[in-house]
Amino acid sequence: MATQTEPTSSPPRASGWRGLFLRLHFYAGVLVGPFVLIAALTGVLYAATPQMESWIYSDQLRAPVGLNQVSLADQVKAAQAAHPGGDLVAVRPAPEPGDTTRVLFAEDGLGESERRAVFVDPATAQVRGDLVAYGSSGALPLRTTLDQLHRTLLLGEPGRLYSELAASWLWVVALGGLVLWVSRRRTRRAEKAEKAESPRGKSVRRHGSVGLWVLLGALFLSATGLTWSAYAGENVSALRESLGWATPALKVAGGDEHAGHAGHGEAHTPAPARPESVDAMLASARAAGIDAASVEIGLPAEPGGPWQVAEVERGWPTQVDTVAVDGTTGQILGEVRFADYPLMAKLARWGIDAHMGVLFGWPNQIALLLLGAGLVTMVVLGYRMWWQRRPTRATGLRFGRPIPRGQWRKAPPALVAGLVVLAAAIGWFVPLFGISLLAFLVIDLLLGLRSRRRSQPESTDVTV
């Protein structure tokens, strides 16, 4: 950001509002380029994990197709015998012939949202292995590692700042680039008539063309990424809650009177749920319309509480209905149907699943791979353009000079005022964007003041 005194190549022609957008786009790209690059590369890896997991963990995930199938209760007993130290929390029956059943345990030493998955052959009740599964998606170790690499760089909660910073600025860079692309098209024909297109001009053109193709995808990734970010995500959740857009919670009708009512209302300690009831609970849920192939049967969180049977199919059409079942009578005590979700809750569900590459299966994965490749190309071309604008006599690793200061004075005052108000509002709702923007302005101001004292500057302006 410091001013260079050596001869430089001619800066791009920019005046008025375009110069302001050019300077903001330039510095925003320089700031978030590395974060977007890492997020794109790790996202591409994550998008390919379903096939990789199917191959790497085939011994646990697959079993010979048998003519008969033992009861879920017997499969659970086999898993408990192989893993006596864990607390049984849920069962995921084999969704298709040739798949294994997952019996899920909570145990000491596992991280948040992690469970021990014991894989059982549904035809023979033979245990085929165990792995740590993460979250509602049931991600296995490979996908969990790539997921955490994408979200936190394996640095835990502090690492989430990197991905939130990328998501916070990506839409700004994308929209700013669109404005510059539209404005540049008006002058490009005249520029070509004057002289042949330079190497840097070709880089600019390619950068703009690729940016146009990935624009909608970049905006989508930015919006969906912010929904589960550390700070902006809280504001998004609060906004959805206040507007009635939140995902409906499962409410159990008459939970107290159903809890352990075998004694007809007598005061006693409810008995813990019996794993032998798992088949009956699944049958009750199926009768209530839980018809997805992939379901999870959750044991009561406390003695006498209801069982929960939830669809976990995140493809298209989305099947995430959930019912609460009385463990004694099999009565349905409550339900949440995806068809009854508010529209914005449905869009949030679809957006997150598409971001993860599971909504439309392999076409979704291919789209994410192409989008990730486009973002990587954008970042590389952006830094190449910066490099190509370096001084003509420069040697070594020296980038080109930044866009000159003082562009805000050339822009219409109404535009500048509108941008300030908009930036303040967005900075409040997306805190990491606001903090980083303010930090950039302060640092840029200080560097400008220092450069002004040390040498004769090209411009007396020290601000954007």
Side-chain angles (χ1 to χ4, degrees), residues 168-213:
S168 299
W169 278 92
L170 181 57
W171 68 272
V172 178
V173 177
L175 291 180
L178 176 64
V179 171
L180 295 173
W181 180 84
V182 171
S183 66
R184 187 173 186 273
R185 282 184 62 86
R186 299 176 180 177
T187 59
R188 194 165 62 184
R189 290 183 180 179
E191 292 175 354
K192 283 186 176 181
E194 293 177 7
K195 58 181 179 179
E197 193 172 25
S198 65
R200 184 181 177 278
K202 293 179 181 179
S203 296
V204 172
R205 176 171 52 82
R206 291 167 183 165
H207 181 83
S209 298
V210 175
L212 192 65
W213 280 103

Side-chain angles (χ1 to χ4, degrees), residues 18-41:
R18 189 178 189 278
L20 179 61
F21 273 91
L22 190 60
R23 180 167 168 79
L24 292 174
H25 182 73
F26 169 78
Y27 276 123
V30 170
L31 170 67
V32 303
F35 302 104
V36 172
L37 181 64
I38 295 172
L41 292 174

